[in-house]
Amino acid sequence: MFEHLPQTVTVFEVGPRDGLQNEATQVPVQDKIALIEALADAGLAEIEITSFVSPKWIPQLADARELAYALLQDTAREAQNKRFARSNLNLSALVPNIKGYETAKETGLKQINLFLSASEAHSKKNINKSVAEAMSVMGEVASVAKADGKRVRCYVSTVWVCPYQGQVDPQVVLDMVPRLFAMGIDEISLGDTVGAATPKQVFDLVNRLRNYTDLSKIALHFHDTRGGALANVLAGLEAGVTIFDSSIGGLGGCPYAPGASGNLATEDLVYMLHGMGVKTGVDLQKLTEAGSLAQNILHKTLPGRYLKAHLAQSQKCEAVK
Amino acid sequence: MFEHLPQTVTVFEVGPRDGLQNEATQVPVQDKIALIEALADAGLAEIEITSFVSPKWIPQLADARELAYALLQDTAREAQNKRFARSNLNLSALVPNIKGYETAKETGLKQINLFLSASEAHSKKNINKSVAEAMSVMGEVASVAKADGKRVRCYVSTVWVCPYQGQVDPQVVLDMVPRLFAMGIDEISLGDTVGAATPKQVFDLVNRLRNYTDLSKIALHFHDTRGGALANVLAGLEAGVTIFDSSIGGLGGCPYAPGASGNLATEDLVYMLHGMGVKTGVDLQKLTEAGSLAQNILHKTLPGRYLKAHLAQSQKCEAVK
């Protein structure tokens, strides 16, 4: 174990989208800008800033267009001041259909992120389409986006376990991946949507995936619903994946109940990676400040463990042991 | 990875001691009995039931003697009813010194657990002794206990990181382990007391330990303070360890602040192990009931993630993705 750890891993930050879309609080656009800037300042190079879905469905992200304009203008403006001058900073947004894409395109975003489910039951429940129908819609959007020179990521949900149909047949995912890349998709993020996957099944799937694709184009998206997200990251790392999704402070990710865990916390991920000598380009101290900012913006404590430990009062326990 | 997974792992349950000793609530002895019985019913074979320290220090466990008598009598009585008739059920208790040992011995407990720190700073702060002094005291107690036919476990705290002196030199631990076994100690539990260890350093230490001892006598005790406990378990498993400590619902373990994580939750550990095909003898459904009972007894929600996920209302998120 650990003989082939990568030198560097890319941390893909989903907090401003996957996180905020599940929050009850309506966050003003100025606060979103501040949070995203803090995340970028901490060294995160890949940040999903919002989702271009109908405000009817996700009112929390109704300011998507305004936010994207503000950030992209800021980036260009700041580039001259060298403050935000990160040529490797890649802002992206979730797009559900061609309409959402057209709006995203206007803002000048360079990357869009599409999504579908590996399981039929989840696909039906989530977007009322079969997997085949979802792939077809995705193919259209991907085609237009690629012709426009955009980079395109695709999330695949419920890759190991579906909340409705249980365990998902790995062959379904293995067959889907090459078809997605054939549409021109640049990167696929395989997601454990309900946080039920365990490390051996993660390792086995990724290992088998080597026969179907170049693993450098694969990302893993874990939820910490049963405490296993970092163990799954470790298995994914060992299997050869070098891109991992996470959310500042463990924000969002569809927890079943208040306090239940959802997304893997970015601070926890970065702490573990650095501890193993794997670089991420992230400054953990600045990242913790971004997490603290997120808590202030949302007026709540986030579930991320590293964040809690570092913001806690230094109360040492009076344990005899 | 995963080529040499063990068929079985022993889960060593510390909730009733390591958990309850850090709780503000004074739990009546009847409730402690009920909790321990629920843990045993769930299939846990190793349960640390209490600590024989002065009630002046740990009032929460002042009923240690009464509890031990009640359980050991129950076990004997129930054995005739076959309800608690588990010949593999091993109840143990923490013992700080010879005085605590004498009380423990009276109750008929078959195993005592001793403790010391790998780091000088933590040893001084925790029990006001140097490591050498602590080993000397431990040697005396171990010697008497072994002569009485008891099984003896030893906890080593701050094996990787000390909250006062930082990173701990692995050689200190590697040198200590054979000396502890030479005292007659039967099992050593190496602890990441502040939840700061990362998987590679866990793997490296255990790997090196192979040259010093038989790994079957080594247990690992992780805290989830930075979300990495299960990743550390995975590394320990890969390195050859087959005994892991945990606490029902993630109870206790010296969190720095309310809500901060301490002990690895037993449910989370068992879920991951079972998912990888590793047997534990534990019934996860019954274990979750024990976790629920612990919450009722303590009038609070525990941090364990599997427990939260399974007790939560079935509220599915309305995520577009």
Side-chain angles (χ1 to χ4, degrees):
Chain A
M1 199 181 187
F2 299 116
E3 292 110 359
H4 306 293
L5 274 180
Q7 288 202 319
T8 315
V9 148
T10 300
V11 175
F12 188 96
E13 174 63 39
V14 303
R17 194 279 305 169
D18 195 358
L20 293 185
Q21 88 180 16
N22 287 312
E23 290 296 313
T25 317
Q26 191 67 24
V27 176
V29 73
Q30 293 310 323
D31 288 350
K32 286 174 178 157
I33 292 167
L35 176 59
I36 293 164
E37 288 183 343
L39 294 168
D41 274 356
L44 287 160
E46 299 275 345
I47 306 174
E48 188 176 64
I49 63 169
T50 190
S51 180
F52 288 92
V53 299
S54 164
K56 203 172 51 177
W57 295 116
I58 311 265
Q60 298 91 326
L61 305 180
D63 54 12
R65 183 195 230 158
E66 184 187 352
L67 175 63
Y69 270 127
L71 285 167
L72 291 162
Q73 288 178 351
D74 276 353
T75 314
R77 189 171 61 240
E78 295 297 346
Q80 295 159 6
N81 298 339
K82 296 214 165 108
R83 177 184 155 241
F84 220 44
R86 309 242 324 271
S87 59
N88 73 336
L89 179 61
N90 183 32
L91 305 181
S92 60
L94 197 70
V95 154
N97 50 37
I98 199 75
K99 183 158 175 276
Y101 171 69
E102 295 299 337
T103 314
K105 177 182 172 182
E106 280 177 43
T107 68
L109 270 169
K110 297 196 168 67
Q111 173 170 325
I112 59 150
N113 307 325
L114 310 175
F115 58 93
L116 82 171
S117 302
S119 103
E120 289 290 347
H122 187 260
S123 189
K124 275 290 191 181
K125 281 268 189 173
N126 206 29
I127 58 172
N128 199 24
K129 291 181 170 56
S130 69
V131 172
E133 286 163 348
M135 283 200 81
S136 177
V137 169
M138 176 173 301
E140 288 172 19
V141 183
S143 171
V144 173
K146 289 309 293 173
D148 289 338
K150 302 300 181 194
R151 192 169 183 276
V152 182
R153 172 188 243 233
C154 172
Y155 286 104
V156 182
S157 302
T158 62
V159 164
W160 291 275
V161 182
C162 167
Y164 310 110
Q165 71 186 51
Q167 297 287 320
V168 174
D169 178 3
Q171 197 59 51
V172 166
V173 179
L174 294 168
D175 292 338
M176 185 186 272
V177 162
R179 291 176 56 199
L180 291 171
F181 284 131
M183 290 176 185
I185 277 154
D186 299 287
E187 180 177 293
I188 294 173
S189 172
L190 302 174
D192 178 28
T193 312
V194 291
T198 50
K200 189 173 185 301
Q201 62 186 148
V202 169
F203 184 85
D204 287 349
L205 180 71
V206 175
N207 217 23
R208 289 173 71 181
L209 210 45
R210 284 180 179 279
N211 301 326
Y212 292 76
T213 189
D214 174 6
L215 288 184
S216 69
K217 304 198 293 178
I218 298 292
L220 296 176
H221 184 111
F222 293 118
H223 283 191
D224 206 35
T225 321
R226 290 167 180 76
L230 281 178
N232 288 336
V233 167
L234 190 56
L237 257 179
E238 282 289 306
V241 170
T242 56
I243 310 167
F244 294 90
D245 299 356
S246 62
S247 179
I248 188 72
L251 181 57
C254 188
Y256 297 121
S261 293
N263 275 314
L264 167 60
T266 305
E267 305 91 336
D268 296 4
L269 173 64
V270 169
Y271 179 80
M272 182 179 84
L273 291 170
H274 288 187
M276 298 195 294
V278 175
K279 293 182 174 40
T280 62
V282 175
D283 176 322
L284 194 46
Q285 177 55 39
K286 287 187 176 176
L287 186 68
T288 310
E289 287 163 20
S292 180
L293 176 62
Q295 294 196 149
N296 293 343
I297 284 170
L298 291 160
H299 312 294
K300 68 187 260 192
T301 311
L302 295 179
R305 297 192 168 206
Y306 182 95
L307 186 63
K308 278 189 202 288
H310 278 255
L311 298 182
Q313 302 285 340
S314 297
Q315 303 167 23
K316 296 289 183 287
C317 292
E318 296 298 325
V320 173
K321 175 179 94 59
Chain B
M1 200 182 188
F2 299 116
E3 292 109 358
H4 307 292
L5 274 182
Q7 287 201 322
T8 315
V9 149
T10 301
V11 175
F12 188 95
E13 173 64 38
V14 303
R17 194 277 307 169
D18 195 358
L20 294 185
Q21 84 179 19
N22 286 312
E23 290 296 316
T25 317
Q26 190 68 24
V27 176
V29 74
Q30 292 310 323
D31 288 351
K32 286 174 178 157
I33 292 168
L35 176 60
I36 293 164
E37 287 184 343
L39 294 167
D41 275 355
L44 288 159
E46 300 276 346
I47 306 173
E48 187 175 66
I49 63 170
T50 191
S51 179
F52 288 91
V53 300
S54 166
K56 203 172 52 179
W57 293 117
I58 312 263
Q60 299 90 327
L61 305 180
D63 54 11
R65 184 197 230 156
E66 184 187 352
L67 175 64
Y69 270 126
L71 285 167
L72 292 163
Q73 288 178 350
D74 277 353
T75 313
R77 189 173 60 241
E78 295 297 347
Q80 295 160 7
N81 298 338
K82 296 218 164 101
R83 177 182 155 243
F84 220 42
R86 307 244 323 272
S87 58
N88 72 336
L89 179 60
N90 184 30
L91 305 181
S92 59
L94 197 71
V95 153
N97 49 36
I98 200 76
K99 181 158 175 273
Y101 172 68
E102 294 298 337
T103 314
K105 177 181 171 181
E106 282 177 39
T107 67
L109 270 169
K110 295 196 169 69
Q111 173 170 325
I112 58 150
N113 306 326
L114 309 174
F115 60 92
L116 82 171
S117 304
S119 101
E120 289 291 346
H122 188 258
S123 188
K124 274 292 193 180
K125 281 268 192 174
N126 205 31
I127 57 171
N128 200 24
K129 290 183 171 57
S130 69
V131 173
E133 287 164 345
M135 284 198 81
S136 177
V137 169
M138 176 173 300
E140 288 172 19
V141 182
S143 172
V144 174
K146 290 308 294 175
D148 288 339
K150 302 301 181 194
R151 191 169 184 275
V152 181
R153 171 187 244 230
C154 172
Y155 286 104
V156 182
S157 302
T158 62
V159 164
W160 291 275
V161 182
C162 168
Y164 310 108
Q165 71 186 49
Q167 297 286 321
V168 173
D169 179 2
Q171 197 59 51
V172 166
V173 178
L174 294 168
D175 292 338
M176 185 184 272
V177 162
R179 291 175 57 200
L180 291 171
F181 284 130
M183 290 176 187
I185 276 151
D186 298 287
E187 180 176 293
I188 294 175
S189 172
L190 302 175
D192 178 26
T193 311
V194 292
T198 50
K200 189 172 183 303
Q201 62 186 147
V202 169
F203 184 85
D204 288 348
L205 181 71
V206 175
N207 216 24
R208 288 173 71 182
L209 210 44
R210 284 181 179 278
N211 301 325
Y212 293 75
T213 190
D214 173 6
L215 288 184
S216 69
K217 304 199 292 179
I218 298 293
L220 296 176
H221 183 111
F222 293 119
H223 281 192
D224 205 34
T225 320
R226 290 168 181 75
L230 280 179
N232 288 337
V233 167
L234 189 58
L237 258 178
E238 282 290 304
V241 170
T242 57
I243 310 167
F244 294 90
D245 299 356
S246 62
S247 180
I248 187 73
L251 179 57
C254 189
Y256 296 121
S261 293
N263 275 312
L264 167 59
T266 304
E267 305 88 338
D268 297 3
L269 173 64
V270 169
Y271 179 80
M272 182 179 84
L273 291 171
H274 288 187
M276 298 194 295
V278 176
K279 295 182 174 37
T280 62
V282 176
D283 177 321
L284 195 44
Q285 177 54 40
K286 287 188 175 174
L287 186 67
T288 310
E289 288 164 19
S292 180
L293 175 63
Q295 296 197 145
N296 293 341
I297 283 169
L298 291 160
H299 312 295
K300 68 187 263 191
T301 309
L302 294 178
R305 294 187 172 210
Y306 182 94
L307 186 62
K308 277 189 202 291
H310 277 255
L311 298 183
Q313 301 283 343
S314 297
Q315 303 169 23
K316 295 290 182 284
C317 292
E318 296 297 327
V320 173
K321 175 177 96 54

